[in-house]
Amino acid sequence: MTNVLVVGAGPTGLTLAVDLARRGVSCRVIDKEVTFPAGSRGRGMQPRTQEVFDDLGLIEAVHAHGSVYPPIRAYQGGEVVWEGTMSEYVEPSADVPYPNPWMIPQWRTAQLLRDRLAEFGGAVETGTELVGFEQDEDGVAATLRRDGVNERVRVAYLVGADGGKGPTRRMLGVPFDGETRDDIRMLIADVRVEGLDRDHWHLWREPMIGLCPLGGTDSFQLTIADPDRELSTIEQLAAYFAERTGRTDLGLSGLTWLTVWRPNVRMTSRFQVGRVFLAGDAAHVHPPSGGQGMNTGVQDAYNLGWKLAAVLRGAPEVLLDSYEQERLPVAAHVLGLSERLLARRTMHRGHEERQLGITYQDGPLAVDDRPSPGSVVAGDRAPDGPCGDGRRLFDVFRGPHATVLAFGAECEGAVRVTDPEAFRIYDVEPGTLVLVRPDGYIGVITRDAGRLGSTGWYSRDAAMVS
């Protein structure tokens, strides 16, 4: 029997599939589309998501096929009237190796994940639609349709990563509360541009029109705020652009993707119903302000993958309850952040959007029994840093395992950390043990090795042996 059926092959579903595949969990990934979607869509990969891709073995490919965000150049016609940046550049540090957002088209992100899944022997089943399911205490019976033919499959768990309009949430009967803003429209298209440098993000106001070079491609992402007419062909786009900007010297061509969106701000109150889970846009839909939607979905998958694998290997099933307990508050907070950025209509981005400060310290899997916890506590992201033996902590974490760090102490199965910089970063005293979850968050901070298994999911066999 297949263990997990993943419905939807966007970045969320693919991240989950890769994470399950590297853990040896049998998984099917289906998508109703016959061809893989094009389009830059969510082009911004936040620092925390880059750390996820580091763990999945994809960070080099991500950096090879994208770019930093270029500086912004604003025009009045052909005259430059302002120059600046979307966010302050931050130098990499010992604890944060990827501190800046990275620009990579969403179609490329999905392609890299599919390639990684193929390395584990997996593939997306395109043209395959979920048309129904029933669940009981032992599993989920799902009906799939491909080429007009139905197939009945039974799986242990089903994950709906099929977007805001996908069938999984609807079949669960879970409401999707929120609103669609009809007062705001944005046209987004991927085009080629002749006569414009690729070193800047070019903007014109009234109406707001932007051309942003997409790293790793020869295209620009064109954005037009509230267009006053239908624009569906490259000829119409080129004429409108020249009319509104006065830049008749630029040539637009090579339209490969176009969409018009209205901001959706919606979220479900349930991320899990029995053996069926919702992740990504199926659970929460964000406006694109701040570049939070795709990144939040990826981290939903990253949170859920190791828990599904652990339960399938015998961990208590109650571990799966922590998915909703941890991710629902995060999604609600990020959704509020996206709304605030949309309301401000500002291009500037701060540190909160980078998602490095997301914490589960109030969740059910965080145990910190120190009388006086330091600045890093259980539930926080586990920072990078030097071990003291020539390795970095992210090198130690990389892979599907949990990791016990023993700071200046000996503990069977633990990685001994001796570098003073790591002590400073983690703000711990000698003799402290830190259990890092498979998703790179701190589960337990203690001086008692017997407390490492106190949340019920950890066993020494699941940890890395140094």
Side-chain angles (χ1 to χ4, degrees):
M1 182 177 74
T2 299
N3 292 134
V4 181
L5 174 64
V6 179
V7 183
T12 299
L14 289 168
T15 297
L16 178 61
V18 170
D19 200 23
L20 292 172
R22 67 174 180 159
R23 299 175 191 281
V25 175
S26 61
C27 170
R28 288 181 68 176
V29 189
I30 65 169
D31 198 287
K32 69 177 182 179
E33 300 298 331
V34 176
T35 59
F36 296 121
S40 50
R41 299 178 187 270
R43 66 172 187 262
M45 187 176 290
Q46 299 294 347
R48 180 58 189 158
T49 306
Q50 292 175 60
E51 294 180 354
V52 172
F53 278 65
D54 183 322
D55 183 49
L56 297 179
L58 281 169
I59 193 61
E60 291 184 2
V62 165
H63 286 169
H65 290 284
S67 69
V68 297
Y69 272 78
I72 298 169
R73 177 172 284 177
Y75 301 85
Q76 188 70 43
E79 180 184 354
V80 177
V81 294
W82 181 83
E83 291 187 320
T85 59
M86 184 179 69
S87 59
E88 178 185 354
Y89 177 81
V90 178
E91 290 290 341
S93 60
D95 57 329
V96 183
Y98 317 115
N100 300 293
W102 189 254
M103 186 167 56
I104 180 170
Q106 186 167 312
W107 68 264
R108 179 76 78 183
T109 299
Q111 179 188 61
L112 295 177
L113 284 164
R114 290 195 302 269
D115 291 345
R116 185 67 170 141
L117 181 61
E119 293 176 14
F120 293 106
V124 177
E125 299 177 41
T126 56
T128 305
E129 186 176 4
L130 175 71
V131 295
F133 64 83
E134 303 87 37
Q135 60 175 315
D136 53 40
E137 293 183 357
D138 300 318
V140 182
T143 302
L144 312 181
R145 181 176 297 157
R146 178 183 174 88
D147 296 331
V149 178
N150 285 358
E151 175 191 4
R152 191 74 167 170
V153 299
R154 187 163 178 85
V155 296
Y157 299 99
L158 186 153
V159 181
D162 45 352
K165 298 180 180 179
T168 307
R169 185 193 61 259
R170 186 179 66 252
M171 292 175 187
L172 276 178
V174 176
F176 208 31
D177 297 325
E179 64 174 352
T180 299
R181 296 280 301 274
D182 291 324
D183 59 322
I184 300 174
R185 290 190 311 138
M186 180 71 74
L187 180 147
I188 309 174
D190 292 346
V191 300
R192 288 194 294 272
V193 183
E194 295 179 8
L196 196 64
D197 73 77
R198 298 183 61 85
D199 299 323
H200 296 87
W201 183 347
H202 306 272
L203 292 177
W204 292 263
R205 292 186 178 274
E206 298 179 8
M208 177 72 79
I209 296 177
L211 281 170
C212 183
L214 294 168
T217 77
D218 61 355
S219 296
F220 285 74
Q221 186 186 77
L222 168 67
T223 54
I224 301 175
D226 297 317
D228 59 5
R229 70 191 73 160
E230 181 179 348
L231 304 172
S232 59
T233 68
I234 188 61
E235 292 77 15
Q236 292 170 339
L237 290 171
Y240 186 91
F241 176 83
E243 172 190 328
R244 295 307 175 95
T245 67
R247 295 296 299 270
T248 58
D249 57 316
L250 303 179
L252 274 62
S253 63
L255 174 66
T256 57
W257 171 73
L258 182 150
T259 189
V260 177
W261 63 260
R262 290 175 174 83
N264 273 303
V265 183
R266 296 184 181 274
M267 183 171 166
T268 179
S269 60
R270 300 289 304 277
F271 282 27
Q272 176 189 5
V273 178
R275 290 176 169 265
V276 180
F277 301 83
L278 300 173
D281 285 359
H284 44 84
V285 175
H286 304 246
S289 45
Q292 302 296 293
M294 183 201 75
N295 293 274
T296 304
V298 164
Q299 291 175 61
D300 286 347
Y302 194 51
N303 182 286
L304 181 59
W306 72 272
K307 295 174 181 178
L308 285 170
V311 169
L312 287 165
R313 285 196 301 265
E317 196 160 9
V318 69
L319 175 62
L320 295 176
D321 295 343
S322 69
Y323 168 65
E324 178 179 297
Q325 292 166 342
E326 291 184 337
R327 292 304 299 168
L328 192 150
V330 168
H333 174 78
V334 173
L335 196 64
L337 172 63
S338 297
E339 284 188 283
R340 292 192 298 274
L341 291 170
L342 179 65
R344 292 204 304 261
R345 301 285 190 98
T346 177
M347 295 291 295
H348 183 71
R349 300 290 179 261
H351 290 282
E352 188 177 7
E353 292 92 324
R354 304 183 189 207
Q355 301 195 344
L356 295 170
I358 289 172
T359 180
Y360 305 134
Q361 61 183 257
D362 296 324
L365 303 185
V367 174
D368 195 329
D369 62 10
R370 294 173 293 172
S372 301
S375 58
V376 176
V377 301
D380 288 352
R381 160 192 170 272
D384 197 4
C387 287
D389 60 2
R391 295 182 295 176
R392 301 195 60 78
L393 293 176
F394 274 18
D395 296 331
V396 172
F397 299 159
R398 192 177 298 112
H401 51 265
T403 307
V404 176
L405 303 177
F407 283 83
E410 297 290 342
C411 178
E412 184 180 356
V415 174
R416 192 164 187 265
V417 180
T418 59
D419 195 289
E421 179 71 355
F423 278 79
R424 182 195 66 79
I425 291 170
Y426 276 74
D427 195 12
V428 294
E429 299 294 329
T432 302
L433 303 176
V434 176
L435 172 60
V436 179
R437 301 171 7 168
D439 61 351
Y441 284 86
I442 298 172
V444 179
I445 303 181
T446 183
R447 296 176 69 89
D448 179 3
R451 294 276 285 164
L452 293 174
S454 58
T455 56
W457 62 267
Y458 168 75
S459 66
R460 187 165 291 160
D461 292 340
M464 179 180 187
V465 179
S466 60

